[in-house]
């Protein structure tokens, strides 16, 4: 099991969580927003520097930005796992594209005021 921490106010981030859920039939991933009490507690427990990036907590370690995204992709059903091959590219290079999207995500995709209530089976995956 792993936990994905995401920006709960970001439409793009929410869509990314829904994308993961649809391609994770074994329910390997659980989710919490960075803004939630659980998210804040996990950030503190793992000593994650202040971030608005996606954070993956797995095997008592944390990963951020493109490394988190690629480690998530390798667990997804279908061809998405092959994206993990990009892990050989240095993070400093991978994160250029990641940071461009992250910096503009509210402008390009909008900000959420309210969260949708997921179905009961999906709701169990949120901490």
């Amino acid at each position: 099991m792993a936990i994905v921490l995401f920006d709960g106010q970001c439409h793009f981030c929410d869509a990314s969580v829904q994308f993961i859920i649809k391609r994770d039939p074994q329910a390997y991933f659980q989710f919490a927003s960075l803004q939630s009490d659980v998210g804040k507690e996990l950030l503190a427990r793992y000593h994650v520097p202040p971030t608005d990036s996606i954070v993956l907590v797995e095997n008592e370690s944390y990963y951020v930005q493109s490394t988190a995204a690629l480690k998530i992709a390798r667990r997804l059903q279908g061809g998405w796992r092959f994206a993990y091959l990009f892990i050989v590219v240095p993070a400093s290079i991978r994160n250029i594209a990641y940071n461009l999207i992250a910096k503009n995500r509210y402008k390009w995709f909008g900000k959420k005021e309210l969260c949708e209530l997921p179905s009961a089976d999906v709701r169990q995956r949120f901490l």
Side-chain angles (χ1 to χ4, degrees), residues 39 60 87 95 116:
E60 297 299 316
I87 203 76
N95 286 337
E116 297 175 29

Side-chain angles (χ1 to χ4, degrees), residues 15 29 32 34 36 44 46 51 54 58 61-62 68 75 77 82 86 89 100-101 107 109 115 119:
F29 295 106
L34 291 166
S36 70
Y46 289 95
T51 186
I54 190 170
E58 184 178 40
S61 295
Y62 76 87
R75 297 274 188 176
Q77 193 174 41
F82 295 111
F86 286 101
V89 176
L100 177 67
I101 294 168
K107 181 171 41 171
F109 304 103
C115 293
S119 63

Side-chain angles (χ1 to χ4, degrees), residues 54-93:
I54 190 170
V55 177
L56 173 65
V57 177
E58 184 178 40
N59 300 323
E60 297 299 316
S61 295
Y62 76 87
Y63 308 93
V64 296
Q65 298 181 311
S66 65
T67 301
L70 292 174
K71 285 186 172 283
I72 291 167
R74 84 174 163 179
R75 297 274 188 176
L76 299 181
Q77 193 174 41
W80 294 102
R81 65 186 62 170
F82 295 111
Y84 188 71
L85 295 172
F86 286 101
I87 203 76
V88 300
V89 176
S92 59
I93 295 171

Side-chain angles (χ1 to χ4, degrees), residues 9-119:
Q9 298 177 321
C10 168
H11 280 292
F12 180 75
C13 304
D14 178 63
S16 298
V17 168
Q18 299 308 315
F19 180 90
I20 294 166
I21 289 169
K22 288 178 185 171
R23 288 156 184 83
D24 178 27
Q26 303 301 318
Y28 179 76
F29 295 106
Q30 291 187 312
F31 305 91
S33 77
L34 291 166
Q35 297 86 355
S36 70
D37 290 340
V38 170
K40 290 175 186 175
E41 190 273 321
L42 286 166
L43 292 172
R45 181 188 317 165
Y46 289 95
H47 307 288
V48 179
T51 186
D52 61 355
S53 166
I54 190 170
V55 177
L56 173 65
V57 177
E58 184 178 40
N59 300 323
E60 297 299 316
S61 295
Y62 76 87
Y63 308 93
V64 296
Q65 298 181 311
S66 65
T67 301
L70 292 174
K71 285 186 172 283
I72 291 167
R74 84 174 163 179
R75 297 274 188 176
L76 299 181
Q77 193 174 41
W80 294 102
R81 65 186 62 170
F82 295 111
Y84 188 71
L85 295 172
F86 286 101
I87 203 76
V88 300
V89 176
S92 59
I93 295 171
R94 292 192 321 260
N95 286 337
I96 291 171
Y98 182 94
N99 289 331
L100 177 67
I101 294 168
K103 179 179 158 190
N104 292 291
R105 69 186 185 276
Y106 291 142
K107 181 171 41 171
W108 294 344
F109 304 103
K111 199 171 184 180
K112 295 174 72 161
E113 297 300 322
L114 297 171
C115 293
E116 297 175 29
L117 190 60
S119 63

